[in-house]
Amino acid sequence: MTADFVRGLKCRACGKSYPKQPLNFCTEDFGPLEVEYDYAAIAKVLDRAKIEKRPRNMWRYRELLPLDGEPTVGVQVGGTPLVRADRLAEELGVEKLWIKNDAVNFPTLSFKDRVVSVALSKAREFGFRTVGCASTGNLANSVAANAAAAGLEAYILVPADLERAKILGTSIFGAKVVLVEGTYDEVNRLCSQIALKFHMGIVNANLRPYYAEGSKTVGYEIAEDLGWRVPRHVVCPMAGGSQIGKIHKAFQELKQIGLVAEATCSVYGAQATGCNPISDAVKSGRERHKPIRKPNTICKSLAIGDPADGYFAAKLIRESGGWAEDASDPEISEAMYLLGRTEGIFAETAGGVTVAVARKLIEQGKLPRDEEIVLCITGNGLKTQEAVAGILDEPVTIKPSLDAFEPLMSEPVLA
């Protein structure tokens, strides 16, 4: 039982400890809380062989996740492929490139299924029967779907201008979807108030310390798929700024318990130019980010103007020897197309941000061309088709004859 390995919660700012409870901020200084583990105890019971015998999902690393017992929500989440991206590598001019493809995650085609399965399993342990979230889209889909499968009532609050596909992809699961006339940050503040007033488990509010831990499983899977070693460079999209830190934390945990020999990894953050508080802070040399009051980008899934983990993400990027960059809307769309036509992977706009930023960092010399790079693709392009609709060629219509088809051939295929 994983309860033996979880010591409780700890403030990332002042270090004050708390027992396990649905709480996401320190009552002393309002710093964010994080789950604290007994790594020495974990190291005694967990090894590579034990992990490799388990089913291919994120719960094969369950000793490193914050549940008191077995997971009860999202038991099939994770285990997504790490793809060797040789054709994209050639386009970008690098030697070795991998794509961690969470665009095919179960059940809602984004990495959010990882964090939600942890949060809702923990919500059940705390006795919540109603759950909810503030979301820019993917989290809404995942909370609604996983709550439906678990028999939990769900309230989903999203900005009113969210992509229609994501609203539809949430409503289909029977959740109560609430469109809020405001930015994500305004929606998020409202959800925090709801969590305090009503007995409701808001996954990215009072359940956030547990929720965020699910992102670590991306890092565990990358290291295992590379033969139990850590890549030298990882490029990750940033919204709230949590995922990039949790992937790096995963690598450090694996070294601490003896599953990898070395954990040196530089991390690189990717944002959209229309909402780039973290990348702007890194590039400007500021310790803290300046909130973006009115995000303006096609990448709505990353449009968080005042990221909760912005300070920690920027600090980690600098300390790891990485960097941050952002991409314009046209660059995002073109990069989505580039990924699709080279690797057959249809990523949503956040994936376009990651690829576009990786290309910029390579051209700037920030990412070495001769060292191993992993790009994190976090969501499926079926959710944001409108982002590329205007740049793709219209299909050709012909009569049903060889004479009509022959002029379309770019070169002869028969001798």
Side-chain angles (χ1 to χ4, degrees), residues 44 53 84 89 108 129 147 180 234 240 245 299 305 307 320 345 355 359 367 407:
K44 292 178 181 178
K53 290 177 182 177
R84 178 70 181 260
T108 65
R129 290 184 290 183
V180 180
V234 172
C299 187
S320 72
I345 294 174
V355 174
R359 178 160 54 186
L367 266 175

Side-chain angles (χ1 to χ4, degrees), residues 113-369:
D113 291 322
R114 298 176 184 273
V115 293
V116 169
S117 62
V118 175
L120 296 192
S121 290
K122 198 66 191 176
R124 276 186 153 181
E125 290 182 352
F126 284 134
F128 289 112
R129 290 184 290 183
T130 303
V131 296
C133 70
S135 177
T136 54
N138 286 321
L139 182 59
N141 293 173
S142 188
V143 171
N146 283 289
L152 297 169
E153 185 179 29
Y155 287 81
I156 312 296
L157 281 71
V158 299
D161 65 349
L162 191 65
E163 298 101 334
R164 297 297 101 180
K166 288 182 178 177
I167 294 174
L168 177 64
T170 300
S171 302
I172 192 67
F173 301 116
K176 293 179 175 64
V177 180
V178 181
L179 306 183
V180 180
E181 295 177 348
T183 66
Y184 169 82
D185 295 295
E186 291 171 315
V187 177
N188 194 43
R189 282 194 292 273
L190 176 58
C191 273
S192 295
Q193 294 167 349
I194 290 171
L196 289 172
K197 184 174 178 61
F198 303 98
H199 189 66
M200 187 184 301
I202 303 295
V203 300
N204 49 349
N206 54 350
L207 293 173
R208 185 176 178 84
Y210 312 97
Y211 155 94
E213 292 293 282
S215 291
K216 297 189 305 183
T217 59
V218 174
Y220 302 148
E221 290 177 9
I222 289 172
E224 183 180 353
D225 285 347
L226 289 176
W228 293 108
R229 62 180 179 81
V230 169
R232 185 62 188 83
H233 307 278
V234 172
V235 185
C236 182
M238 299 184 297
S242 173
Q243 187 189 21
I244 193 170
K246 294 303 182 183
I247 291 174
H248 190 266
K249 180 183 178 182
F251 296 154
Q252 306 309 308
E253 288 178 332
L254 292 179
K255 182 180 180 182
Q256 189 168 348
I257 64 175
L259 295 183
V260 300
E262 181 54 61
T264 301
C265 177
S266 297
V267 294
Y268 302 78
Q271 292 200 293
T273 302
C275 187
N276 64 342
I278 305 175
S279 66
D280 177 64
V282 172
K283 292 190 292 182
S284 301
R286 293 193 309 274
E287 185 177 87
R288 296 188 178 275
H289 66 270
K290 293 181 178 179
I292 305 295
R293 298 304 179 192
K294 293 184 178 181
N296 181 22
T297 172
I298 59 171
C299 187
K300 297 187 183 301
S301 62
L302 301 185
I304 296 179
D306 192 8
D309 286 275
Y311 166 77
F312 298 102
K315 183 173 184 288
L316 171 63
I317 288 167
R318 294 190 189 98
E319 292 178 349
S320 72
W323 197 246
E325 188 53 89
D326 44 79
S328 67
D329 285 358
E331 290 169 334
I332 293 168
S333 298
E334 199 282 325
M336 292 170 67
Y337 182 35
L338 173 62
L339 180 60
R341 64 182 173 82
T342 56
E343 297 298 337
I345 294 174
F346 190 9
E348 68 161 357
T349 47
V353 169
T354 301
V355 174
V357 162
R359 178 160 54 186
K360 282 187 171 183
L361 293 171
I362 292 164
E363 292 171 351
Q364 294 168 4
K366 303 286 189 184
L367 266 175
R369 295 179 182 272

Side-chain angles (χ1 to χ4, degrees), residues 101 103-104 336-337 339-340 343-349 351 377 379-388 392:
N101 187 16
V104 293
M336 292 170 67
Y337 182 35
L339 180 60
E343 297 298 337
I345 294 174
F346 190 9
E348 68 161 357
T349 47
I377 301 302
N380 199 288
L382 293 173
K383 303 180 181 188
T384 58
Q385 297 181 50
E386 64 276 14
V388 291
L392 302 178

